[in-house]
Amino acid sequence: MNMTTFPNDDLDPTCLREMSRRLKEFEVSEARYRTLFNNVPAAVLQVDASDVEEAFTNLKHSGVEDIDAFILENPQLVDQANNSVIVREVNDVALTLFGATDISQLLAPVAYVFAGTPEASSNVMSAHFRGRPNHYQRLKIKTFDGRTIDAALMVSFPQSAANFDTSVLMIIDMTEQVRIEKELKKMESEFAHFSKLSILGELSGAIVHEVRQPLSVVANDAATAARWLQRSDPNLPKVRELVERIEESVRRANEVIKRVQDMATKATPERQTCDLNRLVATALTFVKKEATRRSVTISSNLSAEIARVEADPVQIQQLVVNLVVNAMQAIERTQAQSGRVQVTTRSDGERAFVEVHDTGPGIPEGIATEIFESFFTTRKEGMGMGLSICRSIVQSHGGVISARNTLEGGAAFEAWLPLVFAETDNAPETETSRQPAE
């Protein structure tokens, strides 16, 4: 009944005052909510998802448990949801983010939110069906003024039957952050490339020696073969032996050049199933001459039980080379006449571990985690990128790297990578896994 039908003399003044007070409180609360709603630094969309909730209830009653499989078999369900979930209210930020000229463009079915990333809609549906209170993901937004922006979406789902019409979508423009992330990734790639070139510069003497040695053999054997052929009775078996030695020396020189090219080339990382022991052994051959020059003995204990890893071979070799070079530099700081670096691989059944242990002075107290930060170095002539790049390589492969001082002295750097499991893929015992590096 409308209050105006009551006679004036029947109205209770106390009741009127209470109603007036509550009305003012409601108006203040509404104003406060409206101010908060419009000042949230994100696009906020309130949607009515009651139709979807009802559809989900029916699906559950019919026995559907795996919503993802059901959506794959019934993709039209996504379109139905996008058209039945209606945006009821938006804030001012939403108008700006979507490039809308009028609020009516946004008070419509929610399909326009997912136009740039269609799979995001099914992800939201999956989370809602499973009863999760929230869902977060990155997506691209196609705006009404023709732009495409990177954004972060968080959906808050209703948790009670009384609030089916109050699902909330919050969208934050991430375009600038994504651009910065790409720039940082590019810078990281540039630093990684620079680090490889820096290591090559440090190992240049050993590399020149490795190439010069087989080329000297080639020159001597070629001259000897020419003299044998100039004889009146050429010794063809001897010439054949010399030619075979020349071929072997050329192969050795080509291997050195190939290793240098792999390290120096600025190539896009390429993952493949790799024999970790073989990668480690190859990396150690790269530094063995430099180790000899520095009077450092490198030994290895490569576990024959190591399974394969999914990795970029060049990056893993760079990881090992970086750690061994870092170990040799640490040993130099002790001013000892000789030192040792031990490289070990092992497995715990799920992960493959690579450990590099040196006989250097150890890690100064309190910096065991800082040493992996970019530009952190304890060497006056260092740039502080070697260990940072090691961490980036390991993390990009889904692993972890750590450092510690050992009881026997020196430091140990340990990195682990996830193993690749296959029914018939047993890592064979290889010569490199049985014999220590030279």
Side-chain angles (χ1 to χ4, degrees):
M1 181 178 294
N2 193 300
M3 289 182 61
T4 57
T5 61
F6 284 97
N8 291 337
D9 55 351
D10 289 339
L11 292 177
D12 184 349
T14 303
C15 180
L16 283 174
R17 285 194 298 272
E18 179 63 19
M19 291 175 63
S20 177
R21 185 185 64 80
R22 291 187 179 184
L23 180 59
K24 287 181 180 179
E25 287 180 351
F26 175 77
E27 290 173 347
V28 170
S29 176
E30 176 69 14
R32 186 183 301 115
Y33 162 77
R34 181 57 51 190
T35 299
L36 178 63
F37 187 71
N38 280 322
N39 284 277
V40 172
V44 181
L45 295 78
Q46 290 190 356
V47 302
D48 180 353
S50 55
D51 287 348
V52 169
E53 183 67 29
E54 183 179 349
F56 282 171
T57 300
N58 293 335
L59 288 175
K60 291 175 181 178
H61 287 164
S62 66
V64 174
E65 295 182 356
D66 189 342
I67 187 62
D68 296 322
F70 187 83
I71 289 175
L72 283 175
E73 295 175 359
N74 302 273
Q76 73 279 1
L77 185 65
V78 178
D79 292 332
Q80 292 173 4
N82 284 341
N83 291 319
S84 64
V85 175
I86 307 299
V87 178
R88 299 298 187 192
E89 192 171 5
V90 299
N91 65 354
D92 295 339
V93 179
L95 284 168
T96 303
L97 185 141
F98 281 94
T101 57
D102 189 82
I103 193 172
S104 61
Q105 292 175 281
L106 302 183
L107 302 183
V110 78
Y112 65 85
V113 174
F114 304 107
T117 309
E119 64 272 18
S121 182
S122 57
N123 294 340
V124 172
M125 291 179 63
S126 178
H128 192 176
F129 185 87
R130 288 177 167 81
R132 295 175 182 170
N134 301 294
H135 173 74
Y136 172 87
Q137 77 167 81
R138 293 282 189 92
L139 80 169
K140 290 188 178 294
I141 297 289
K142 288 187 175 180
T143 66
F144 290 99
D145 54 3
R147 295 172 294 121
T148 298
I149 63 175
D150 293 288
L153 167 71
M154 189 182 81
V155 185
S156 177
F157 300 110
Q159 295 299 297
S160 65
N163 296 316
F164 283 159
D165 61 344
T166 57
S167 292
V168 177
L169 279 63
M170 294 186 66
I171 305 173
I172 299 174
D173 188 346
M174 304 286 287
T175 304
E176 184 63 16
Q177 180 174 330
V178 170
R179 185 192 67 78
I180 293 173
E181 288 174 353
K182 289 179 179 178
E183 288 296 323
L184 288 174
K185 191 172 182 180
K186 182 180 178 182
M187 289 176 60
E188 187 177 78
S189 175
E190 294 288 346
F191 276 123
H193 181 59
F194 177 81
S195 174
K196 289 192 290 184
L197 296 180
S198 177
I199 287 177
L200 288 176
E202 189 156 351
L203 302 178
S204 59
I207 293 169
V208 168
H209 177 78
E210 274 202 87
V211 175
R212 181 179 290 166
Q213 189 176 35
L215 291 182
S216 297
V217 174
V218 168
N220 291 333
D221 286 349
T224 303
R227 287 197 299 270
W228 280 105
L229 289 172
Q230 288 172 357
R231 291 189 174 189
S232 57
D233 55 340
N235 188 335
L236 296 182
K238 184 64 176 178
V239 172
R240 187 177 299 110
E241 178 186 341
L242 291 168
V243 170
E244 289 175 354
R245 285 178 55 183
I246 289 172
E247 290 178 344
E248 174 63 18
S249 296
V250 170
R251 183 189 64 78
R252 286 175 54 201
N254 280 333
E255 285 180 353
V256 176
I257 294 170
K258 176 67 166 56
R259 291 203 304 268
V260 174
Q261 284 180 328
D262 288 343
M263 285 286 285
T265 301
K266 187 179 178 182
T268 302
E270 184 177 337
R271 300 287 178 87
Q272 55 186 273
T273 302
C274 305
D275 181 339
L276 181 62
N277 283 339
R278 189 178 299 278
L279 295 180
V280 172
T282 301
L284 294 184
T285 62
F286 208 102
V287 297
K288 64 181 181 180
K289 293 295 182 183
E290 181 66 13
T292 301
R293 185 185 71 81
R294 299 186 186 210
S295 299
V296 174
T297 301
I298 298 180
S299 60
S300 63
N301 182 14
L302 309 184
S303 171
E305 298 179 356
I306 289 286
R308 299 180 183 273
V309 295
E310 192 77 19
D312 175 77
V314 175
Q315 286 191 332
I316 298 304
Q317 290 178 23
Q318 182 184 0
L319 166 70
V320 176
V321 169
N322 278 18
L323 291 177
V324 172
V325 169
N326 181 74
M328 291 193 294
Q329 291 170 344
I331 291 171
E332 278 188 337
R333 292 199 293 274
T334 65
Q335 297 183 342
Q337 292 184 349
S338 63
R340 298 188 309 278
V341 175
Q342 170 82 20
V343 182
T344 305
T345 63
R346 63 182 178 85
S347 170
D348 66 358
E350 296 183 354
R351 300 170 295 177
F353 294 81
V354 179
E355 181 179 278
V356 177
H357 175 218
D358 62 64
T359 57
I363 305 167
E365 186 176 355
I367 66 167
T369 56
E370 290 182 73
I371 56 177
F372 294 105
E373 297 296 328
S374 300
F375 306 112
F376 182 90
T377 180
T378 57
R379 298 169 59 223
K380 292 181 180 179
E381 68 278 17
M383 285 194 62
M385 290 303 299
L387 293 178
S388 172
I389 289 167
C390 287
R391 181 181 64 175
S392 296
I393 290 173
V394 174
Q395 288 181 342
S396 71
H397 284 77
V400 173
I401 188 170
S402 59
R404 69 183 190 281
N405 289 324
T406 62
L407 294 176
E408 58 269 29
F413 289 79
E414 183 180 76
W416 66 258
L417 305 171
L419 292 175
V420 173
F421 296 97
E423 293 182 2
T424 60
D425 188 17
N426 296 317
E429 185 177 9
T430 63
E431 185 176 354
T432 59
S433 67
R434 295 192 301 270
Q435 298 182 357
E438 296 180 7

